[in-house]
Amino acid sequence: LDYDNCLNFMKGAIQCSDKVTTVSPTYAKEILDPYYSHGLDGILKNFTYKLTGIVNGIDTEVYDPETDNLIYKNYSVEDVSGKAYNKAQLQKELGLPEKADTPIIGIVTRLVKHKGIDLVKCVFEDLLKADLQFAILGSGEWEFEEFFTQMANKYPDKVGLVVGFKPQLAHRIYAGADIFLMPSQSEPCGLAQMVALRYGTIPIVRQTGGLNDTITDS
């Protein structure tokens, strides 16, 4: 357990275990780099023969637009007409103009730098110059909560914001948005991008961790 004159139970677990797993193959490679490993890269490099990544998964019964009772209207891959209704109702709930041809970018996340929210902040007003809307649900660091609150007040026709976490609204954003933005600086796997796919919402993600393993360019 001794590590740098401290007790480190993770280090001991890595040494004594038969197998070390992560929730995605890319993250299993990334934690061999000091940037991702929080100081354990040296230990992990000694035991790479134990290390493997298994991609995480979602509950496809909970996240199913055909049966989900938290969204405005159910739809399926055979009949996606209900998605347009979900979009209109999401715009209405968030106080956004009901514009069918205006893309909605959904963000459901913790509002922290680790999730890449600082990257969004840097370009947010530039993005708002385009014909699009944001549906944002999350809470976290005061800096970002305050920033998005200001943006929602300044651009009420383009930014719908709810600070906090409301599972029902999360489902409705997945169902009603056109695009799902997930710019995490690192992400062991991530579930939101897979949920978005389940609801027919296009994920835009950074090429890191499980985001790299679950979302491919086409």
Side-chain angles (χ1 to χ4, degrees):
L1 300 179
D2 178 58
Y3 184 74
D4 196 24
N5 295 318
C6 294
L7 289 177
N8 190 311
F9 289 94
M10 181 61 73
K11 180 251 189 179
I14 292 169
Q15 283 189 295
C16 297
S17 63
D18 296 307
K19 204 75 176 173
V20 178
T21 67
T22 71
V23 288
S24 71
T26 296
Y27 191 66
K29 297 174 183 176
E30 287 176 339
I31 58 175
L32 299 176
D33 185 289
Y35 178 80
Y36 297 96
S37 65
H38 300 280
L40 289 174
D41 51 291
I43 301 298
L44 288 163
K45 286 175 181 175
N46 290 334
F47 296 100
T48 52
Y49 67 92
K50 296 183 181 182
L51 183 60
T52 190
I54 303 171
V55 174
N56 220 335
I58 61 171
D59 188 325
T60 55
E61 293 184 3
V62 171
Y63 296 108
D64 184 351
E66 198 165 357
T67 58
D68 189 345
N69 61 10
L70 298 180
I71 64 177
Y72 308 102
K73 183 179 181 179
N74 295 121
Y75 58 96
S76 68
V77 68
E78 287 82 19
D79 181 8
V80 296
S81 59
K83 188 162 178 62
Y85 181 82
N86 277 277
K87 177 176 180 175
Q89 292 302 113
L90 178 63
Q91 289 170 321
K92 185 176 181 179
E93 180 173 348
L94 295 179
L96 299 170
E98 294 179 41
K99 298 166 68 177
D101 294 332
T102 297
I104 297 180
I105 298 177
I107 298 176
V108 179
T109 188
R110 289 185 291 116
L111 300 177
V112 295
K113 288 183 179 179
H114 175 74
K115 293 295 184 179
I117 300 303
D118 56 330
L119 305 176
V120 177
K121 179 182 176 182
C122 288
V123 299
F124 196 71
E125 290 197 86
D126 287 334
L127 292 174
L128 291 178
K129 293 175 183 176
D131 181 26
L132 51 79
Q133 297 171 335
F134 277 88
I136 304 170
L137 172 63
S139 62
E141 296 171 3
W142 179 87
E143 170 192 350
F144 300 120
E145 289 188 7
E146 181 66 15
F147 172 76
F148 287 116
T149 298
Q150 290 176 5
M151 291 296 100
N153 292 332
K154 186 176 180 180
Y155 303 99
D157 290 348
K158 285 180 168 282
V159 182
L161 170 70
V162 174
V163 175
F165 182 68
K166 297 183 178 181
Q168 183 177 30
L169 180 56
H171 281 242
R172 289 176 171 180
I173 291 174
Y174 290 127
D178 300 288
I179 298 165
F180 191 82
L181 183 59
M182 196 171 175
S184 302
Q185 293 188 25
S186 68
E187 194 70 58
C189 182
L191 300 178
Q193 80 282 7
M194 291 187 278
V195 175
L197 288 174
R198 184 82 168 143
Y199 286 80
T201 301
I202 299 170
I204 297 177
V205 304
R206 289 192 73 225
Q207 195 173 11
T208 185
L211 303 179
N212 180 60
D213 295 315
T214 57
I215 305 300
T216 54
D217 291 332
S218 60

